[in-house]
Amino acid sequence: MAILIFKLPRLTRGSSSAAETIRAAVRPVFLASLLAVLAAPRASADVGVVLNESLDESMDRITGTGHTAVYFSNICAESPTKLRLCQPDELGSVMSTYINIGEDQSFDWNIVPLNIYLYGVEDSRNRPIFGSFKIKHALEERYRENYLSGYCTTLACQTSNKAEWREMVAATMIRGVYMFIVDTSVEQDRQLIAEFNNAPNENHFNGATNNCADFARRIVNTYFPRAASRDVLNDFGMTSPKAVARTFTRYALRHPELNLRVMHFAQVPGTIKRSSDVRAGTEQLFRSKKLLIPMVVFANEALPVVVASYVLTGRFNPEKEFEKHPASDLAPASSALRLQDIALQDESTQIVGTSAEWKNYRKAFKSEIEENRDSPEVHDRSRFFKVLDEKGTTSMDAGGAAWMHLSENGESISVGVSASNALARESNPQLAYKLLLARTSVFLKSPKHRRETMPEFHQDWANLQRASAGASAASASNAVSPKLARVTPLLGGIF
């Protein structure tokens, strides 16, 4: 789908943007077209390899292999262990295996709705824009209560952080995610559904021969035989997530009729440690200081062989593939919606953004900070996430939108920390502005493989403009309310 991009002028307090006028004129046409597409019967399907970045925990801290799963646009979850075709208004699902899913039975795999996997909520409008373990845990508990009734009744399943069903809830809170997607057919989906619904779902996970990458490889090879394979040389005989993504991508490029496109979902800014790039086995040996130094000391003669093996046969950069084949729309039958007549840039540039665009935004952000340097909201941005997480308590509304509440002496203020409620009437305008300042700052400082897509950033920027105006109005009407004054010491200068 062609994404509409409009240049925004320099952000200033209380200013209005001509781009908003353009968006207001285009939005009804866009929404009408989108609704027409969503109402149409599903005539096609997609399958994709999901490549999750590496976490700084367990064996992943040493191997750097990350995790892999499988995305379907037309297969949905009848239950966590039962597949069915999606309805026209559903966005698909993600299916994965783990060492220990942790449910009452030792299942080999689970399947969850796509937005649950990415954001922890059904409606992406309620996706969190601030990442913390408090919020992720609340999303996990909401998922357990709504989806795992009858599957997760033991105390270990309900309370253990080692139960890996939790990793299938709001994955973007803890790491960046890439998806390598190609076209399939409904008939292929039906065959896969029949195969998995009729086969035993019993855990036989084995890190060496039956791991998450082997699981993903088996599924995509069901659609396209020999499309994905292990890299015996660079992964020392095992199957790695990066090898599956690399071989599947190269297969798709040899078959242009499959319409390869790549999606990137950046990790949500917040207090959770940033995830790391996924690596092959030989790549990790010479890129990781933990392993490189022992190799230099004890096996220096092997280092040139390791480097040559990776450089010659194993190189693969997910971000570069995203830049070459970018996509950002996961709506059903999205390829039917093409608004080329009103698109202002080619689709690739719209999604990834140019260096000049990102540079202009950094300049505009710097100007915003300088012009409002006397405003209390712009100070201590770097500490905002940490203080908010330490001082705040979390709650969820019915739709899964998250709130953070801060209180002292019986007085309470709240800020929405989801896309749908950050600027809501109940959300404190000064805190909302500070939240969006901190979020915007993270993406503008990040390297390109850590940034969100340009359409997402445009929305963040528009929200920052609205928050700026709201904070300005609140300060003008009541510089610091009595309630706010009482809470300010608790926040340690957060205002």
Side-chain angles (χ1 to χ4, degrees):
M1 179 170 72
I3 307 299
L4 306 182
I5 301 298
F6 302 99
K7 294 286 187 180
L8 297 181
R10 189 176 72 179
L11 188 153
T12 57
R13 283 291 188 92
S15 65
S16 61
S17 170
E20 291 301 316
T21 303
I22 298 174
R23 286 194 183 95
V26 172
R27 192 176 292 115
V29 177
F30 175 82
L31 291 178
S33 301
L34 180 59
L35 290 174
V37 169
L38 294 180
R42 186 76 61 82
S44 61
D46 310 312
V47 67
V49 171
V50 180
L51 184 63
N52 289 345
E53 291 184 334
S54 176
L55 301 178
D56 186 31
E57 60 182 40
S58 189
M59 283 298 294
D60 210 10
R61 180 182 300 142
I62 300 174
T63 63
T65 55
H67 180 73
T68 191
V70 182
Y71 158 71
F72 306 102
S73 70
N74 195 35
I75 296 178
C76 285
E78 180 72 25
S79 73
T81 61
K82 193 80 169 179
L83 313 182
R84 62 169 174 81
L85 289 177
C86 296
Q87 298 298 319
D89 60 342
E90 293 180 293
L91 295 179
S93 62
V94 172
M95 184 177 180
S96 187
T97 186
Y98 294 92
I99 296 176
N100 174 32
I101 294 177
E103 294 162 350
D104 296 353
Q105 298 182 50
S106 183
F107 292 116
D108 183 37
W109 54 266
N110 265 195
I111 185 169
V112 301
L114 175 66
N115 280 344
I116 292 290
Y117 185 85
L118 292 174
Y119 311 121
V121 291
E122 295 82 0
D123 190 337
S124 62
R125 290 173 294 186
N126 292 328
R127 67 190 181 279
I129 59 173
F130 166 54
S132 77
F133 283 115
K134 285 182 180 179
I135 297 173
K136 188 174 189 302
H137 181 71
L139 291 169
E140 291 168 355
E141 291 306 295
R142 180 178 179 275
Y143 171 76
R144 181 180 62 80
E145 293 171 359
N146 293 343
Y147 292 86
L148 294 185
S149 175
Y151 294 86
C152 186
T153 62
T154 65
L155 186 63
C157 180
Q158 294 178 359
T159 61
S160 175
N161 289 327
K162 295 182 179 180
E164 290 177 306
W165 61 263
R166 298 180 183 277
E167 289 203 19
M168 301 190 76
V169 182
T172 57
M173 296 277 278
I174 58 175
R175 51 181 155 199
V177 176
Y178 289 90
M179 291 186 183
F180 304 84
I181 301 170
V182 300
D183 294 342
T184 60
S185 68
V186 176
E187 183 54 37
Q188 287 175 299
D189 285 345
R190 293 184 189 276
Q191 293 175 4
L192 188 89
I193 290 171
E195 175 183 341
F196 274 82
N197 282 350
N198 293 328
N201 187 351
E202 299 173 353
N203 188 293
H204 299 289
F205 192 98
N206 181 294
T209 60
N210 189 23
N211 57 36
C212 65
D214 290 301
F215 180 80
R217 176 169 64 97
R218 177 163 66 93
I219 292 178
V220 298
N221 286 347
T222 300
Y223 285 89
F224 308 104
R226 296 181 297 279
S229 61
R230 59 168 55 97
D231 185 342
V232 176
L233 188 60
N234 287 292
D235 292 317
F236 313 113
M238 296 183 290
T239 308
S240 73
K242 194 169 187 178
V244 172
R246 175 171 60 83
T247 55
F248 181 66
T249 297
R250 293 183 177 177
Y251 176 87
L253 292 175
R254 294 194 301 269
H255 297 82
E257 70 277 5
L258 295 182
N259 184 29
L260 172 70
R261 57 267 191 210
V262 184
M263 297 182 182
H264 178 222
F265 302 88
Q267 184 177 355
V268 180
T271 58
I272 299 176
K273 187 174 181 179
R274 302 293 89 183
S275 57
S276 304
D277 296 342
V278 175
R279 293 173 177 171
T282 52
E283 181 185 13
Q284 179 72 345
L285 284 178
F286 73 85
R287 288 191 185 276
S288 172
K289 294 180 180 179
K290 301 172 186 176
L291 301 178
L292 179 60
I293 294 175
M295 279 199 67
V296 171
V297 174
F298 299 107
N300 62 312
E301 70 282 353
L303 186 58
V305 177
V306 168
V307 174
S309 174
Y310 174 72
V311 170
L312 295 175
T313 66
R315 298 177 70 179
F316 179 72
N317 188 320
E319 178 62 24
K320 288 185 178 179
E321 296 303 325
F322 170 63
E323 293 173 6
K324 292 177 183 177
H325 314 282
S328 67
D329 177 47
L330 286 167
S334 60
S335 60
L337 183 57
R338 301 288 177 184
L339 303 180
Q340 299 290 358
D341 292 339
I342 53 178
L344 302 184
Q345 303 173 12
D346 66 272
E347 190 168 358
S348 176
T349 301
Q350 292 172 30
I351 296 169
V352 178
T354 65
S355 297
E357 281 183 291
W358 288 106
K359 183 177 180 180
N360 288 338
Y361 273 121
R362 283 191 287 271
K363 288 182 179 179
F365 186 77
K366 184 178 180 180
S367 296
E368 164 71 4
I369 300 303
E370 291 177 350
E371 291 172 8
N372 298 285
R373 59 182 178 272
D374 295 329
S375 175
E377 290 89 6
V378 303
H379 299 299
D380 298 323
R381 297 187 314 281
S382 61
R383 298 184 60 251
F384 177 78
F385 287 149
K386 181 178 180 180
V387 175
L388 181 63
D389 189 41
E390 289 178 350
K391 305 297 185 181
T393 58
T394 305
S395 70
M396 297 282 166
D397 64 22
W403 292 84
M404 294 294 286
H405 310 281
L406 304 105
S407 63
E408 185 178 18
N409 299 326
E411 298 287 358
S412 176
I413 57 172
S414 302
V415 60
V417 292
S418 293
S420 61
N421 65 4
L423 301 178
R425 179 179 301 178
E426 300 83 2
S427 181
N428 179 272
Q430 286 95 347
L431 278 178
Y433 179 49
K434 194 74 172 282
L435 171 65
L436 292 169
L437 275 175
R439 176 181 168 88
T440 303
S441 178
V442 168
F443 284 127
L444 289 177
K445 291 179 180 177
S446 296
K448 57 185 179 180
H449 64 291
R450 296 281 181 259
R451 293 194 296 242
E452 60 184 353
T453 63
M454 184 55 77
E456 291 172 317
F457 188 78
H458 277 307
Q459 185 60 58
D460 277 350
W461 191 262
N463 288 339
L464 182 59
Q465 286 184 305
R466 294 174 56 199
S468 177
S472 179
S475 297
S477 63
N478 188 5
V480 180
S481 69
K483 177 190 288 190
L484 196 58
R486 284 191 290 271
V487 178
T488 298
L490 173 68
L491 300 175
I494 201 170
F495 292 99

